[in-house]
């Protein structure tokens, strides 16, 4: 017996739809497998997974949330870049403009700021979860090292972004931060010079932090994340009880 | 199989058709799974669509809602225009570095800000190369003993650090007076009383902590590493809280409600 074709059936059966989505509605096991395997955004997942790996009280979604916050930061960050000017003369005024005259500018800035803080916390807690469940043990030892690198990159991303508003909070927080770097034994003054590009924090430091923040460090983070996620699959999925 | 087929109903096999040494018997037939059926689920498996993607979608949506509500209610701080000639008191690094800033009140900035965190990060990265036994994977805290060790470490290290911060403050941040004594009695150089001495103190404290955990709990290697990692996390948290909430003008210890308004 054939049921009547609905509008949804006609759309999802059309040549245009089928050129775009190559499988039927995912209510059969075959289509549920195809939707994961044939979609570039979903194929980060395996088709099937151990039942314990879907338990929220095991992962607390911390790794996923860290990644999601990274995506929110990229999205809001690109929008902020349309208005922000990385010049020591104009940066502060452009921040004021974002807050007062750009539509949703204040909201975008707030979301960027709070996700950045949230990402530092989430990444740290994710490391704790992975540690306390013993998930770093072989064969996952290299992915643990990649994770430690991602923690460092997260710190650096947050720290380089801290200078950009060019207000008192930014200037002095980064002054203290780079002074800590400048205290490195033996090569302290060189480290300080590399970070600041000058003897004090000014235009050179701002453009360095800006370039690191919007281009270099996000690329490093994205690359390391790709390795991190790939290795989860290659090391047999997320850990679980033996 | 051929042997079985040739057996007569009485179990007798014609002796000219079978080599007794090579004779095999069929014990049992087992219904198996075909190997190459990617969607065939084992009992402890679920399909990622919908079982996992639903969890992810809900988590992402809930988080995004919380973030948007927070961002509507609380504005990111924007203080006055940067002014290199006007140093705020206290000047503080971003909160996640305030643990280092707290530490460098008590010793040389290079040791506190670079050497100790570098060693800590390297040690953390090296954990899986020391603890290779698969025991306890997937179980929070590994075992009941592991969880007791976590509880003990939180209380012990937390209290110890709070007392140490207070004691060093009372002795004018001179390594509990030992640094000042070395400087006054022996004219010791900075590298001795402000670099080597604090490093030695940290190393001795870690050694004492390990000895206590060993004495009380008789831990496995994994459980000892749990104690050390927990000690790191507790130190990170206690030093951060001290640096953010208890350091006022001149980086002197202050109650949080007496702090000048510093927004993060």
């Amino acid at each position: 017996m054939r049921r009547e074709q609905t509008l949804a059936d006609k759309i999802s059966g059309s040549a245009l739809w089928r050129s775009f989505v190559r499988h039927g509605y995912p209510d059969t096991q075959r289509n549920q497998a195809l939707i994961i395997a044939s979609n570039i955004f979903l194929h980060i997942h395996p088709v099937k997974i151990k039942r314990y790996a879907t338990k929220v009280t095991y992962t607390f979604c911390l790794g996923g949330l860290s990644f999601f916050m990274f995506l929110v930061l990229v999205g809001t960050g690109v929008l902020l870049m349309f208005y922000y000017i990385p010049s020591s003369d104009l940066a502060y005024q452009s921040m004021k403009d974002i807050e007062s005259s750009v539509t949703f500018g204040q909201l975008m800035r707030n979301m960027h700021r709070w996700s950045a803080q949230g990402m530092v916390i989430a990444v740290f807690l994710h490391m704790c979860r992975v540690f306390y469940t013993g998930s770093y043990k072989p064969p996952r030892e290299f992915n643990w090292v990649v994770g430690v690198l991602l923690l460092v990159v997260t710190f650096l991303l947050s720290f380089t972004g801290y200078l950009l508003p060019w207000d008192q909070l930014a200037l002095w927080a980064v002054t203290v931060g780079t002074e800590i770097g400048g205290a490195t034994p033996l090569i302290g003054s060189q480290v300080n010079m590399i970070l600041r590009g000058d003897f004090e924090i000014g235009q050179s430091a701002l453009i360095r932090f800006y370039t690191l923040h919007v281009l270099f460090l996000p690329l490093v983070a994205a690359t390391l994340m790709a390795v991190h996620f790939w290795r989860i699959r290659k090391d047999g999925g997320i850990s679980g009880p033996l | 199989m051929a042997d079985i087929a040739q057996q007569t109903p009485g179990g007798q096999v014609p002796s000219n058709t079978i080599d007794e040494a090579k004779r095999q018997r069929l014990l049992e037939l087992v219904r198996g799974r075909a190997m190459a059926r990617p969607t065939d689920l084992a009992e402890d498996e679920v399909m990622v669509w919908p079982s996992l993607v639903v969890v992810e979608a809900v988590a992402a949506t809930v988080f995004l809602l919380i973030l948007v509500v927070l961002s509507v209610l609380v504005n990111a701080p924007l203080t006055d225009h940067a002014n290199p000639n006007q140093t705020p008191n206290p000047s503080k690094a971003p909160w996640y570095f305030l643990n280092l800033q707290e530490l460098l009140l008590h010793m040389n900035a290079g040791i506190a800000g670079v050497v100790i965190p570098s060693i800590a990060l390297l040690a953390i990265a090296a954990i899986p190369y020391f603890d290779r036994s698969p025991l306890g994977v997937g179980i929070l805290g590994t075992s009941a003993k592991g969880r007791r060790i976590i509880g003990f470490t939180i209380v012990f290290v937390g209290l110890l650090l709070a007392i140490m911060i207070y004691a060093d403050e009372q002795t004018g941040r001179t390594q509990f007076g030992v640094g000042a004594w070395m400087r006054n009695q022996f004219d010791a150089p900075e590298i001795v009383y402000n670099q080597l001495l604090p490093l030695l103190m940290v190393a001795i404290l870690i050694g004492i902590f390990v000895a206590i955990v060993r004495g009380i709990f008789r831990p496995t290697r994994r459980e000892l590493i749990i104690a050390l990692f927990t000690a790191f996390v507790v130190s990170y948290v206690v030093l951060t809280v001290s640096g953010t909430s208890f350091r006022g003008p001149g980086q002197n210890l202050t109650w949080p409600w007496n702090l000048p308004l510093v927004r993060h």
Side-chain angles (χ1 to χ4, degrees), chain B residues 98-111:
Chain B
L98 281 186
N99 38 65
L100 302 182
Q101 206 181 342
E102 170 67 42
L103 204 56
L104 68 80
L105 292 175
H106 306 281
M107 59 189 81
N108 173 281
I111 302 293

Side-chain angles (χ1 to χ4, degrees), chain A residues 146-226:
Chain A
V146 175
V148 172
L149 291 176
L150 275 167
L151 174 73
V152 174
V153 173
T154 305
F155 279 140
L156 291 177
L157 270 167
S158 198
F159 182 62
T160 50
Y162 219 91
L163 181 63
L164 306 190
W166 206 250
D167 60 347
Q168 278 289 76
L169 189 62
L171 177 73
W172 290 98
V174 171
T175 302
V176 172
T178 51
E179 268 167 12
I180 294 177
T184 311
L186 306 176
I187 53 165
S189 56
Q190 285 89 336
V191 170
N192 216 341
M193 200 47 137
I194 287 171
L195 286 171
R196 296 179 175 183
D198 199 346
F199 291 104
E200 59 183 32
I201 292 181
Q203 180 60 56
S204 321
L206 181 56
I207 202 70
R208 279 174 195 220
F209 275 54
Y210 177 78
T211 309
L212 290 172
H213 185 73
V214 304
L215 192 69
F216 180 73
L217 290 170
L219 284 177
V220 173
T223 309
L224 286 173
M225 273 185 243

Side-chain angles (χ1 to χ4, degrees), chain B residues 27-247:
Chain B
L27 291 175
E28 198 177 358
L29 286 168
V30 180
R31 186 181 292 277
R33 282 174 193 282
M35 296 302 284
R37 284 166 66 190
T39 64
D40 208 358
L41 285 171
E43 253 176 45
D44 61 342
E45 285 175 335
V46 289
M47 294 299 288
V48 163
W49 184 293
S51 298
L52 181 61
V53 287
V54 164
V55 175
E56 290 173 340
V58 169
T61 310
V62 169
F63 168 75
L64 197 56
L65 274 174
I66 294 171
L67 177 68
V68 170
V69 169
L70 177 74
S71 300
V72 168
L73 295 178
V74 190
N75 281 344
L78 189 65
T79 55
D80 296 335
H81 194 286
N83 182 356
N85 300 318
Q86 192 193 333
T87 313
N89 187 11
S91 293
K92 291 190 178 186
W95 64 265
Y96 40 84
F97 287 153
L98 281 186
N99 38 65
L100 302 182
Q101 206 181 342
E102 170 67 42
L103 204 56
L104 68 80
L105 292 175
H106 306 281
M107 59 189 81
N108 173 281
I111 302 293
V114 183
V115 175
I116 288 181
S118 301
I119 293 174
L121 279 172
L122 282 175
I124 289 170
I127 288 173
Y129 300 95
F130 288 101
D131 174 24
R132 302 186 65 80
S133 122
L135 279 176
V137 172
I139 302 159
L140 204 62
T142 292
S143 58
K145 199 208 278 180
R147 289 186 284 274
R148 279 204 307 279
I149 289 177
I150 294 171
F152 169 79
T153 307
I154 291 173
V155 174
F156 181 81
V157 177
L159 282 177
L160 184 69
L161 276 176
I163 293 168
M164 282 171 63
I165 289 170
Y166 183 74
D168 199 34
E169 187 77 2
Q170 294 307 308
T171 55
R173 296 181 208 146
T174 55
Q175 293 80 38
F176 315 107
V178 180
W181 174 73
M182 290 170 92
R183 207 170 24 182
N184 296 335
Q185 292 293 313
F186 308 104
D187 205 14
E190 198 267 354
I191 190 168
V192 173
Y193 71 84
N194 208 19
Q195 298 189 31
L196 296 177
L197 178 64
L199 269 182
L200 188 69
M201 283 180 167
V202 172
I204 289 174
L205 278 173
I206 293 173
I208 293 174
F209 172 68
V210 168
I212 291 175
V213 171
R214 278 217 166 111
I216 299 179
F217 294 101
R218 308 259 160 240
T220 61
R221 179 177 278 205
R222 158 74 175 155
E223 286 159 350
L224 189 61
I225 290 175
I226 287 178
L228 286 169
F229 183 83
T230 309
F232 162 77
V233 174
V234 174
S235 308
Y236 188 95
V237 172
V238 170
L239 292 175
T240 306
V241 170
S242 174
T244 46
S245 307
F246 291 90
R247 290 289 175 186

Side-chain angles (χ1 to χ4, degrees), chain A residues 57-104:
Chain A
T57 49
Y58 183 65
T59 61
F60 301 98
C61 298
L62 287 165
L65 278 182
S66 306
F67 178 50
F68 186 67
M69 283 189 225
F70 180 78
L71 295 181
V72 169
L73 285 162
V74 170
T76 53
V78 168
L79 291 175
L80 292 169
M81 277 179 76
F82 285 123
Y83 296 96
Y84 176 78
I85 304 164
S87 140
S88 56
D89 291 333
L90 302 171
Y92 186 74
Q93 190 52 49
S94 66
M95 294 299 293
K96 285 277 187 201
D97 289 345
I98 287 170
E99 292 196 341
S100 55
S101 43
V102 175
T103 310
F104 291 124

